[in-house]
Amino acid sequence: IKAEPLKVMISGAPASGKGTQCELITKKYDLVHIAAGDLLRAEVAAGTENGRRAKEYMEKGQLVPDEIVVTMVKERLLQPDSQEKGWLLDGYPRSSSQATALKGFGFQPDIFILLEVPEEILVERVVGRRLDPVTGKIYHLKYSPPETEEIAARLTQRFDDTEEKVKLRLLTHNKNVEAVLSMYGDITVRVDGTLSKEDVFTRIDAALRNLLGQRQASIDLK
Ligand code: AP5
């Protein structure tokens, strides 16, 4: 018998390191990375009606309405690659209504990872963040600088990565986090996100290996 593919959720405040850890997790576990923020930014870049509406909320650091986000994420989860390889859901759900909707569609995660980082560190991470439009890789001017001059020259910044806007995103996060956590309490793993990105990954990796080990053990018993 083959084990079911992994279904993972990762959550945390803005700039707590979700995207950075997702790069490392997908490299090792080959899960399909589904980031609500990335899906929304793709709509904004494509200039769709949903994108235009979404941007109004993203600029204020508020949650984009469920009628846009819920369908978008659900459709991505239903794609054959997510079903076959398993998924890594990043930045969703962010409210109890989103969590309830997901459950209603039959999507239940195996594990809910929460990255814990205090507020004073988050602002510095956001302001120094840069993105490589060619590879999609996430950098930080101080903590994860680009490898070459060529990459450094083409780095871009997100439109909502200012000190003022991250504070608004943080308010939204703080308002909703407890409601989401209460729905996944029994499968939540809290990870100290202030450690180096390698050390954060070591902890996440241990939790995922443990989960796979438990599954294998229960299959072996059958
Ligand atoms: P989204 O794109 O999800 O933004 P966010 O939650 O604010 O999170 P970030 O992407 O900013 O940070 P991250 O945790 O991925 O950190 P990263 O790894 O880049 O959402 C944007 C907007 O879209 C929302 O405000 C909302 O409007 C809308 N939206 C999204 N999802 C929605 C939903 N479900 N419903 C409704 N609306 C939704 O790291 C940050 C920086 O720190 C980088 O520079 C990195 O290099 C550095 N870094 C990372 N780890 C470390 C480390 N361990 N040590 C030192 N530096 C590190």
Side-chain angles (χ1 to χ4, degrees):
I1 316 167
K2 200 167 165 272
E4 283 276 298
L6 276 181
K7 292 171 276 181
V8 180
M9 281 183 185
I10 186 160
S11 154
S16 55
K18 301 182 290 294
T20 300
Q21 293 305 318
C22 286
E23 282 179 11
L24 300 171
I25 297 168
T26 45
K27 206 191 274 172
K28 175 153 183 191
Y29 290 91
D30 196 30
L31 303 174
V32 175
H33 177 209
I34 304 176
D38 289 348
L39 293 175
L40 288 167
R41 279 184 289 278
E43 290 286 324
V44 173
T48 63
E49 176 57 21
N50 274 348
R52 195 191 55 72
R53 277 193 66 206
K55 193 170 183 195
E56 287 172 29
Y57 293 88
M58 295 167 85
E59 289 198 311
K60 290 186 262 177
Q62 293 171 359
L63 293 185
V64 172
D66 281 3
E67 73 236 40
I68 296 177
V69 180
V70 171
T71 316
M72 201 181 67
V73 170
K74 175 191 164 200
E75 282 176 358
R76 189 63 192 89
L77 282 165
L78 285 171
Q79 297 286 314
D81 59 345
S82 316
Q83 297 290 310
E84 278 157 29
K85 292 181 175 180
W87 41 262
L88 171 60
L89 195 49
D90 163 4
Y92 186 101
R94 289 196 202 217
S95 63
S96 55
S97 67
Q98 291 181 3
T100 308
L102 202 64
K103 214 171 173 180
F105 301 133
F107 295 108
Q108 267 294 91
D110 304 310
I111 183 170
F112 185 95
I113 300 165
L114 178 69
L115 296 178
E116 297 187 298
V117 179
E119 300 197 3
E120 53 280 14
I121 295 181
L122 298 171
V123 174
E124 193 198 4
R125 284 199 186 172
V126 157
V127 176
R129 170 164 51 194
R130 297 292 183 276
L131 302 167
D132 183 346
V134 176
T135 60
K137 205 171 159 201
I138 305 164
Y139 290 95
H140 189 283
L141 295 178
K142 185 163 154 196
Y143 302 116
S144 237
E147 298 87 353
T148 65
E149 280 294 318
E150 190 191 344
I151 299 173
R154 68 184 186 220
L155 294 181
T156 60
Q157 224 176 341
R158 248 166 65 175
F159 65 80
D160 56 351
D161 270 356
T162 61
E163 180 166 350
E164 177 209 356
K165 288 195 176 144
V166 74
K167 287 188 171 154
L168 296 174
R169 272 148 66 198
L170 200 53
L171 282 178
T172 304
H173 171 79
N174 290 342
K175 207 164 71 190
N176 293 298
V177 64
E178 288 306 326
V180 174
L181 277 175
S182 70
M183 295 189 65
Y184 300 107
D186 50 341
I187 53 162
T188 298
V189 172
R190 291 172 185 261
V191 177
D192 178 355
T194 64
L195 303 169
S196 71
K197 73 175 189 186
E198 293 79 14
D199 287 346
V200 174
F201 180 66
T202 302
R203 281 156 177 78
I204 293 176
D205 188 27
L208 296 179
R209 270 188 290 134
N210 184 26
L211 191 66
L212 286 173
Q214 280 171 14
R215 277 201 182 170
Q216 198 52 49
S218 74
I219 288 175
D220 293 345
L221 281 175
K222 281 182 191 160

